[in-house]
Amino acid sequence: MATNWPSWLPLRASLRTLSPYGAPQIPNVLSLNTNENPFELPGEVVDAIMEKLPQVLTRLNRYPDRDATKLRTLLANYINTASGTNFSQVNIWAANGSNEILQTLMLALGERPALGFVPSYSVHPLIAQTTGVEWRAGNRRENFTLDISYAIQEIQRIKPGLTFITTPNNPTGTNLPITDIIDLAKATAEINGVLVVDEAYAEFSDELSAVTLLGTHHNIVVVRTMSKAFAFAGARVGYLVAQPEVIDACLITRLPYHLSSVTQAIAEVALTHSTALMAEVAQLKVERERVCAALIALGYAVAPSAANFLLFSGFKRTSPEIWKELVDAGILIRDVGITGYLRVTIGTPAENERFLAALKALK
Ligand SMILES: Cc1ncc(COP(=O)(O)O)c(C=O)c1O
């Protein structure tokens, strides 16, 4: 990876100090570092995909449905069933992971600065920088909750076009109450801004989804993904729920035929098996509470989490040292760059036991 860019390469000045995003991918270790779902796709979903694929493969000579109409209809149905809403495909946009959704949004709506509250998902500022959007970072409290009056003041002062809220927040797991989202939606509406609620981990939380507010707060855009709850990270499917005008804006900045026929078809199948997949989410929530209690019993402090990961602290040595010792023991968790903290993704019960045993065995 070049650090001193050569003069013949007309790289944009704003990109020269950046490095590619990426958590370490280390072979032959237990990966509890990228908040994936640890369960393989259930056999019934794999079988249904195998049944569907031949029809799709024979038609790979043709471009996919550019607007992914069927997939978007099924995503609308999924959200409606989960949240009691009444959306149709005009309220949904789908892309290759929610990261692409975020990029499409920034390209379309990023004229004014974008505001977020850190620590939060580090890809938000990265996408802002790569799409030429000015990024402004506000803070969270020391316990990672958000001071809403402060957040509103920042919105009034900076007047961002896009304000980002991640709930449950990554990397802290913190939930934002729906009443706070309403206040942020009002504050952003007053400055003609959009509130982007990144709900990548929504299915692991008991809080109401911000999609339930869309009828009354038109400037909310909810970003979701199939990577986590649907155990579909490798398929790359993310989506947003918003007013049709937001989708129209995304149609301008998306690449033509961005979502392959194969991706669309397999996501459609997975959505028709959401009940089986959500049963695994329930299991992961139980495991989250069990691992949290075990960490506390071992003397660690754990940030309250409504997601499929835990941020914990209270190490006898520095967090990078502990991270390295765990890697040496075959367990990969995440150093998210918050001094004194590490983040662990909830795995299967057996994987969580391996993680806890490795932690107990630390020197
Ligand atoms: C808060 C948040 N948003 C978005 C994403 C991106 O997910 P994907 O691009 O796999 O949909 C992640 C992934 O970890 C995340 O933590």
Side-chain angles (χ1 to χ4, degrees):
M1 168 67 205
T3 44
N4 289 323
W5 297 102
S7 53
W8 55 262
L9 191 70
L11 183 69
R12 286 199 274 135
S14 59
L15 303 185
R16 285 195 189 130
T17 56
L18 300 185
S19 40
Y21 174 86
Q25 290 188 311
I26 304 177
N28 306 321
V29 293
L30 170 57
S31 293
L32 298 175
N33 68 331
T34 49
N35 301 339
E36 292 156 330
N37 190 317
F39 296 116
E40 291 183 354
L41 273 190
E44 66 172 76
V45 185
V46 175
D47 290 348
I49 287 176
M50 295 300 270
E51 210 171 297
K52 174 91 188 196
L53 272 181
Q55 304 158 36
V56 184
L57 298 183
T58 52
R59 289 191 55 79
L60 283 182
N61 58 318
R62 300 289 176 195
Y63 283 112
D65 172 4
R66 206 172 34 216
D67 296 334
T69 315
K70 182 168 177 208
L71 173 60
R72 285 162 61 205
T73 303
L74 291 176
L75 286 166
N77 294 348
Y78 165 68
I79 290 289
N80 291 341
T81 307
S83 291
T85 45
N86 197 18
F87 298 115
S88 72
Q89 52 109 359
V90 300
N91 301 102
I92 308 279
W93 184 244
N96 294 282
S98 50
N99 285 334
E100 189 180 62
I101 292 283
L102 293 165
Q103 186 184 53
T104 306
L105 269 179
M106 296 233 205
L107 284 169
L109 308 179
E111 180 90 1
R112 279 154 47 201
L115 170 68
F117 299 93
V118 297
S120 191
Y121 185 43
S122 58
V123 173
H124 293 157
L126 184 64
I127 297 178
Q129 276 172 292
T130 56
T131 54
V133 178
E134 185 190 343
W135 178 259
R136 306 287 289 270
N139 295 313
R140 286 174 172 259
R141 294 191 184 100
E142 246 174 50
N143 67 0
F144 308 123
T145 58
L146 187 63
D147 176 341
I148 289 297
S149 341
Y150 155 79
I152 291 172
Q153 276 168 25
E154 288 298 89
I155 290 166
Q156 289 165 344
R157 185 174 69 82
I158 295 167
K159 300 191 173 37
L162 292 160
T163 299
F164 286 84
I165 281 296
T166 306
T167 182
N169 187 40
N170 179 11
T172 64
T174 324
N175 236 352
L176 192 66
I178 195 92
T179 44
D180 287 350
I181 300 207
I182 295 174
D183 290 344
L184 293 176
K186 286 182 189 156
T188 47
E190 274 166 22
I191 52 135
N192 287 335
V194 160
L195 181 67
V196 181
V197 186
D198 187 334
E199 288 193 353
Y201 302 95
E203 285 91 342
F204 298 95
S205 163
D206 296 327
E207 184 59 88
L208 268 185
S209 164
V211 298
T212 57
L213 302 175
L214 269 169
T216 40
H217 299 276
H218 287 199
N219 67 326
I220 293 180
V221 175
V222 181
V223 177
R224 302 281 290 253
T225 182
M226 291 181 73
S227 292
K228 316 292 178 178
F230 279 85
F232 226 49
R236 311 303 300 126
V237 182
Y239 56 103
L240 65 72
V241 191
Q243 296 302 325
E245 292 80 1
V246 174
I247 282 78
D248 290 347
C250 288
L251 280 163
I252 294 172
T253 52
R254 64 109 167 90
L255 290 173
Y257 312 109
H258 66 296
L259 201 55
S260 84
S261 320
V262 175
T263 308
Q264 292 186 37
I266 64 177
E268 287 160 20
V269 173
L271 281 160
T272 59
H273 291 264
S274 58
T275 313
L277 290 159
M278 289 314 127
E280 296 184 336
V281 168
Q283 234 183 303
L284 288 171
K285 286 168 71 177
V286 172
E287 273 299 292
R288 176 185 71 208
E289 297 314 311
R290 189 179 75 80
V291 176
C292 179
L295 285 172
I296 291 169
L298 287 174
Y300 295 102
V302 187
S305 172
N308 66 338
F309 53 82
L310 296 167
L311 188 71
F312 64 111
S313 63
F315 306 113
K316 295 204 180 75
R317 288 178 297 289
T318 67
S319 39
E321 281 166 349
I322 300 288
W323 179 84
K324 175 73 176 55
E325 270 188 60
L326 287 171
V327 172
D328 292 343
I331 314 281
L332 179 60
I333 64 170
R334 189 78 173 262
D335 180 354
V336 289
I338 310 177
T339 307
Y341 286 87
L342 291 172
R343 191 193 70 193
V344 63
T345 303
I346 300 302
T348 63
E351 289 172 345
N352 297 332
E353 280 312 304
R354 270 181 66 191
F355 159 67
L356 290 167
L359 209 56
K360 272 185 214 156
L362 285 179
K363 284 174 256 146

